[in-house]
Amino acid sequence: MKKLLILCGILAITSAAFANNASVNADNTGRNVRDQSGNTKTPLDQSESPKDIKLTAAIRHTIVFNGELSALAKNIKIITASGVVTLRGPVKSRKEISIIMSAAKDAGAHKIINKLEIKRR
């Protein structure tokens, strides 16, 4: 009987959790179309030149070990091609954008394309 009551409780909690998330729109169709158009830089556009790889690695290292950044910000895309750094992905705040932009400049990026977006919720 105890097991049945526990199972019913778990089902009730799970059902409530799904009901609360029902209003969240998980449709990424617009983003997927944008990324497939060829106009948006993706990780496949990363140059294999040693200079570009070194610059990307330096930026990533600085970001990953920065205690002020959220896990979300630490997982942005950093794409370097011909010395041009493209930063893409969601972050939590303008402050995180500022920190990431400074990291790219400090690593030696001369041209940065900022495609970072502040995640709403």
Side-chain angles (χ1 to χ4, degrees):
M1 184 68 168
K2 256 186 177 178
K3 288 181 183 179
L4 182 59
L5 289 174
I6 291 171
L7 181 58
C8 288
I10 291 171
L11 287 174
I13 292 169
T14 305
S15 297
F18 281 116
N20 287 338
N21 289 329
S23 64
V24 176
N25 185 359
D27 183 10
N28 286 333
T29 304
R31 286 182 193 270
N32 294 339
V33 169
R34 175 196 71 189
D35 291 350
Q36 291 172 353
S37 71
N39 296 329
T40 301
K41 295 283 184 192
T42 67
L44 296 175
D45 295 311
Q46 171 66 43
S47 164
E48 293 187 23
S49 82
K51 188 175 180 179
D52 286 340
I53 291 171
K54 184 177 179 179
L55 180 55
T56 299
I59 297 166
R60 174 70 64 201
H61 182 270
T62 301
I63 289 171
V64 167
F65 289 102
N66 186 312
E68 293 183 74
L69 294 175
S70 65
L72 192 66
K74 291 179 181 187
N75 284 299
I76 63 160
K77 291 170 184 64
I78 304 168
I79 305 135
T80 307
S82 302
V84 178
V85 176
T86 301
L87 304 169
R88 284 190 50 227
V91 297
K92 288 189 172 186
S93 67
R94 290 192 190 281
K95 181 179 179 183
E96 287 190 332
I97 291 174
S98 178
I99 290 169
I100 293 167
M101 292 292 290
S102 292
K105 289 175 189 170
D106 292 347
H110 298 290
K111 182 168 183 189
I112 304 168
I113 299 171
N114 178 3
K115 298 289 185 175
L116 299 170
E117 302 170 357
I118 297 172
K119 183 178 179 183
R120 305 285 181 213
R121 167 120 166 102

